[in-house]
Amino acid sequence: MGKNKPPAKYSAAGLLWRGLRKQSWPRVWREPEFKNSYDVVIIGGGVHGLATAYYLAANHGITDIAVVDRAYLGSGGSGRNTAIVRSNYLTPEGVAFYDRSLDLYKSMSNDLNLNVMFSERGHLTLAHTDSALRTMHWRAEVNKLQGIDSSVIDPAEIKRLTPSLDVSTNTRYPIMGALYHPPGGTIRHDAVVWGYARGADAYGVDLFQQTEVLDILTEGDHGSGRVTGVRTNKGDISTPIVVNCTAGWASTISAMVDVQLPITTHPLQAAVTEPVKTFLPTVVVSGSLHVYVSQTDRGELVFGASVDPVATYNMGGTLEFTEELASHVLELMPGISKMRLLRQWAGLCDMTPDYSPVMGPTPVAGFYVDVGWGTYGFKAGPVSGEQMAACVATGETPHLIKPFELSRFTEGNLVGEKGAAAVGH
Ligand code: PYC
C-alpha cells in the first residue's frame, strides 16, 4: 500500500454485505468521462502503465491521470506472457531492479487487496554445456553478493526437486547442473492487471480502453521540444507529461516526438496443454533447448520459447514453433509425450541491443519512456511502475532506473543482460 490511502471501497465487510443482500457486484473500474486536460497521460494499459498510474497516486498524491490503451486493459504483453517472476539476473543493476519487483509481487495481494496467486515455487535454469554451467556459476555469485537466494545445484538435486526431468547421461543434451533460485515462481498475470487497474481507479485515475494515440503534440524543435498534449481517436488531451508504457509499439509511439529507440520488435510464441494432475513443482528453463515450462494451479503446462527470428508485428502461431517446442520439451520430460496442446499464442517483444530496458526521461521535455522490455516485461511491472512514478513526480531519475536511461546507448554504458535471458535468442 502506498503512503496515500484510497477510499475503502472494497472492505471485507462491504463485500459480505453485498453477498448477503445478493447485490450485483460493483464495476471494478469506472467508465470515466473523457476530459480534455490531465496532469499526466500514460500510454499503455498493461501492468507497466497501470502500475505507474497506481504508484503516482499512491506514493506521490498525483491523481489527475489518464491511462489510454488502444485495446482493452492487459491486452498486450501483460496478458500474453508466461507469468514467470524471478530476480536471478546477471548484472548487478538487473539483480537489484528485479529483486525490488519480486518484493512488490510478494506483498501485492495485501497491498492491492486482491489475491494475485503468487506461487513461490522455485526456478531452475538448466545447464547442458560447460559454458552454460560457467554462466550459472557467474550468475549465482553476482546474485549472492546482493543477498539473492541463488546457487548452482547438481543433477541429483535437480531430480530431487523435479522428478519428471530426465537427468540421465544418455540424452542428446544431458543436464549438467542448474541455477536454482527458490524465490522465483509464477503469479496470475490477469489478476496483477486487475489489481493495479482497480487500485488506480480507486484513487481517481481515469482508465480509457479502445483509445488509440494518433499523435503526441509538442512545441519547440522536434526531438528536443516539450510535450503539450496527446491526440487520440476520442479527441485531444492537453498535458505536460506523457509516459510511453507500451510494448510492441514503443518505437512507433516514441517516433511521434522524434525520439529514436534502438528497438526491434519480434513475436514470442507460447502454448498451453490440457490440465493434468500436478506433477511439476518448479519453473524449468533450458537455454540450450530454447524452452521454459511451468504448471499452473489448474494443472496446465505453460510453455514459452525464444523470440521468432524475424522482426515483425505478426502474432500468428506457426507449426514450426509447435514442432520445435514439442521435440525440445520431450528431451527434458519424455513422460509427457501423451499430453495434448490446447492452444498457442504470441506476444510482441521489443528487443534492445543489450537486453535491458529503456527507462526515464528523453530529450523531449515531459516525454518519458518505460519500454524495450524484451522478454522481461511482466516480471518488471511493479518496480517499473514504482520507479517511473518517482521519476515523473520528482523530476529526478531514481538510482534503480538510472543505468537504463536512453543516453547509455550514446555514452557506451550498456547493461548486458543477455546472459540472464530465459532462453537463447
Ligand atoms: O526471462 O524468465 C524469463 C522469461 C520467461 C518467459 C519469458 N522470459
Side-chain angles (χ1 to χ4, degrees):
M1 176 64 66
K3 291 175 213 136
N4 311 305
K5 274 200 168 43
K9 197 166 150 191
Y10 302 103
S11 69
L15 291 178
L16 185 64
W17 185 79
R18 242 169 218 289
L20 291 175
R21 300 200 45 188
K22 296 204 172 73
Q23 283 207 335
S24 59
W25 297 103
R27 287 187 69 95
V28 177
W29 51 84
R30 295 161 296 127
E31 249 182 291
E33 225 174 87
F34 192 80
K35 297 197 296 177
N36 59 12
S37 152
Y38 283 92
D39 289 346
V40 180
V41 173
I42 296 172
I43 308 175
V47 177
H48 286 247
L50 294 167
T52 303
Y54 173 81
Y55 291 112
L56 272 169
N59 291 352
H60 305 280
I62 297 174
T63 56
D64 188 34
I65 304 170
V67 179
V68 295
D69 195 289
R70 72 179 194 166
Y72 57 91
L73 299 186
S75 54
S78 301
R80 295 171 173 275
N81 59 79
T82 45
I84 296 169
V85 294
R86 62 186 176 95
S87 65
N88 58 353
Y89 279 71
L90 176 68
T91 66
E93 297 87 345
V95 173
F97 188 77
Y98 291 94
D99 199 45
R100 175 66 188 150
S101 217
L102 211 44
D103 276 350
L104 290 167
Y105 268 134
K106 276 186 201 157
S107 62
M108 186 172 284
S109 291
N110 266 340
D111 294 346
L112 298 179
N113 188 20
L114 184 79
N115 184 0
V116 292
M117 296 170 73
F118 180 45
S119 167
E120 194 176 35
R121 58 181 66 179
H123 184 282
L124 287 174
T125 312
L126 306 175
H128 306 265
T129 62
D130 286 334
S131 71
L133 203 52
R134 188 178 146 270
T135 306
M136 297 313 149
H137 279 290
W138 178 3
R139 274 169 69 179
E141 293 313 310
V142 174
N143 293 174
K144 283 183 214 159
L145 271 176
Q146 299 203 47
I148 308 297
D149 190 356
S150 178
S151 57
V152 175
I153 59 173
D154 64 14
E157 180 65 0
I158 296 170
K159 188 75 181 168
R160 194 189 65 75
L161 288 168
T162 310
S164 53
L165 284 176
D166 182 358
V167 298
S168 62
T169 49
N170 59 355
T171 56
R172 206 147 56 107
Y173 300 102
I175 297 170
M176 297 172 66
L179 182 67
Y180 178 42
H181 177 48
T186 59
I187 193 161
R188 178 78 200 276
H189 54 2
D190 296 325
V192 175
V193 171
W194 300 330
Y196 276 128
R198 191 178 77 165
D201 172 89
Y203 280 111
V205 171
D206 288 349
L207 309 176
F208 296 107
Q209 307 184 78
Q210 310 290 336
T211 306
E212 183 171 357
V213 171
L214 306 173
D215 202 0
I216 299 174
L217 313 173
T218 53
E219 65 186 17
D221 290 342
H222 255 229
S224 63
R226 78 164 23 257
V227 164
T228 57
V230 171
R231 174 150 301 150
T232 78
N233 60 341
K234 294 203 172 135
D236 286 1
I237 305 174
S238 78
T239 182
I241 295 179
V242 171
V243 191
N244 178 2
C245 289
T246 59
W249 285 269
S251 36
T252 315
I253 295 290
S254 293
M256 290 176 181
V257 288
D258 280 347
V259 169
Q260 304 301 326
L261 298 174
I263 282 177
T264 53
T265 301
H266 293 249
L268 172 56
Q269 299 189 52
V272 66
T273 65
E274 61 188 334
V276 296
K277 203 168 164 184
T278 309
F279 71 94
L280 183 64
T282 57
V283 178
V284 176
V285 174
S286 168
S288 306
L289 290 171
H290 302 278
V291 67
Y292 36 86
V293 53
S294 67
Q295 190 168 24
T296 67
D297 295 320
R298 279 195 300 252
E300 302 142 338
L301 292 187
V302 178
F303 304 109
S306 307
V307 294
D308 286 0
V310 284
T312 169
Y313 287 82
N314 184 341
M315 285 194 271
T318 62
L319 184 59
E320 193 185 3
F321 160 77
T322 325
E323 283 178 345
E324 276 180 17
L325 174 73
S327 66
H328 288 171
V329 86
L330 288 178
E331 303 217 23
L332 296 175
M333 292 192 289
I336 65 166
S337 62
K338 294 276 188 297
M339 280 181 83
R340 285 171 296 191
L341 276 189
L342 277 191
R343 59 179 188 281
Q344 68 190 91
W345 68 93
L348 293 177
C349 297
D350 287 333
M351 310 303 293
T352 62
D354 61 359
Y355 288 67
S356 285
V358 188
M359 303 182 79
T362 67
V364 176
F367 183 68
Y368 294 81
V369 288
D370 169 21
V371 298
W373 285 101
T375 59
Y376 301 146
F378 176 66
K379 42 188 83 46
V383 67
S384 304
E386 181 194 53
Q387 300 297 313
M388 286 303 297
C391 187
V392 168
T394 64
E396 304 285 325
T397 306
H399 77 275
L400 276 183
I401 62 176
K402 191 86 189 148
F404 305 124
E405 281 189 320
L406 180 60
S407 56
R408 78 176 184 277
F409 294 103
T410 44
E411 290 159 4
N413 294 324
L414 302 193
V415 187
E417 202 57 270
K418 183 170 182 174
V423 294
H425 293 303

